Amino acid sequence: MLTIAHFSDIHLGQDHHGDAGERARRRAEQVVAYLDALPGPLDAVLVTGDLADHGLAAEYREVTEVLASRHPVLLCPGNHDVRGPYREVLLGRAPSGGPVNRLHALPGADVLMLDSSIPGRDDGLLDEETLGWLDRTLAGGAAERPALVAFHHPPVTLHLPYVDPIRQFGEERLAGVLERHPRVRALLCGHAHTGAATLFAGRPLLVAPGVVSTVTLPFEGVPEISFEQPPVLAFHLLDDEGRLTTHYRVVSPA
């Protein structure tokens, strides 16, 4: 059984309500503390983008502090992240503007973290370099070895007016790659600031809740972005039959 915790959109450095990012940091620390206090180990913690709010090197140094965990932590960029400082601070590599794509071989499954960001824009796209890397990397693994593909922007409409105009576009190209690789069991993403589940290319598409805030549906009759609801995270369980089951947990203050 592969066990993964998944959350997204911590936006460290965000200055809503005039607290200069302290609120965002507290909420992210709350989630990490909850995971570190679990009696059992996790195979990984996935954080699918918008780690920093402004893409500053100082924010990424804060990310390394806040996301320090006893569990392995896997990251990918979001639209608020900036590739140069992200790569330099979080990966210890020379800053560059190319996409940040990484393969993590976990016990029993490969996790491919993709960069769906477009520098300077809020919507998303998996560029040709990223799709080529995804295709080659999936082909390079054993056909019977399960794979999970993660990125920031959902490649479908979620019926959220605040999010849908800035989702991932060009999604038919991603679907074409996935058709060649049945070992992909599910797609994991963030960006929407709400937990959601749907299908994409015949696979589960699981959207992580946001930590810094929650985006609500029009019929809920509450503010479009709520800063009052508590953080939520997902637990993804991939069993020996290759079936993924997801549980969501509200993380209340200690």
Side-chain angles (χ1 to χ4, degrees), residues 53-108:
D53 198 52
H54 308 95
L56 303 175
E59 292 173 336
Y60 292 119
R61 288 191 288 271
E62 188 175 9
V63 168
T64 63
E65 297 171 5
V66 171
L67 295 185
S69 172
R70 69 183 183 90
H71 310 291
V73 178
L74 314 184
L75 309 173
C76 67
N79 54 293
H80 279 253
D81 293 304
V82 177
R83 291 171 175 175
Y86 180 108
R87 186 176 265 111
E88 186 174 26
V89 177
L90 298 183
L91 305 182
R93 298 179 181 175
S96 72
V100 181
N101 302 312
R102 305 188 76 198
L103 167 66
H104 300 274
L106 299 182

Side-chain angles (χ1 to χ4, degrees), residues 5-165:
H6 180 201
F7 59 93
S8 196
D9 296 85
I10 59 176
H11 286 265
L12 294 188
Q14 190 174 71
D15 54 4
H16 281 285
H17 304 298
D19 62 6
E22 284 304 312
R23 177 188 174 280
R25 178 173 181 135
R26 282 196 308 272
R27 288 169 71 94
E29 288 176 335
Q30 182 179 325
V31 171
V32 174
Y34 173 84
L35 296 175
D36 279 351
L38 294 173
L42 299 169
D43 291 297
V45 175
L46 270 62
V47 190
T48 44
D50 281 358
L51 311 177
D53 198 52
H54 308 95
L56 303 175
E59 292 173 336
Y60 292 119
R61 288 191 288 271
E62 188 175 9
V63 168
T64 63
E65 297 171 5
V66 171
L67 295 185
S69 172
R70 69 183 183 90
H71 310 291
V73 178
L74 314 184
L75 309 173
C76 67
N79 54 293
H80 279 253
D81 293 304
V82 177
R83 291 171 175 175
Y86 180 108
R87 186 176 265 111
E88 186 174 26
V89 177
L90 298 183
L91 305 182
R93 298 179 181 175
S96 72
V100 181
N101 302 312
R102 305 188 76 198
L103 167 66
H104 300 274
L106 299 182
D110 290 333
V111 179
L112 292 81
M113 307 291 287
L114 308 183
D115 187 346
S116 64
S117 68
I118 306 172
R121 292 173 54 167
D122 287 330
D123 57 331
L125 180 79
L126 298 177
D127 67 14
E128 292 304 321
E129 179 180 343
T130 294
L131 288 174
W133 180 87
L134 174 64
D135 200 10
R136 292 190 304 274
T137 304
L138 288 171
E144 68 277 7
R145 181 172 167 82
L148 301 172
V149 175
F151 39 72
H152 183 64
H153 298 78
V156 297
T157 296
L158 296 176
H159 309 292
L160 294 167
Y162 189 79
V163 175
D164 290 340

Side-chain angles (χ1 to χ4, degrees), residues 171-191:
E171 66 275 12
E172 68 284 349
R173 298 154 51 254
L174 171 61
V177 173
L178 295 176
E179 287 176 4
R180 296 193 287 274
H181 301 286
R183 74 185 187 102
V184 176
R185 297 293 190 264
L187 307 166
L188 311 174
C189 67
H191 189 53

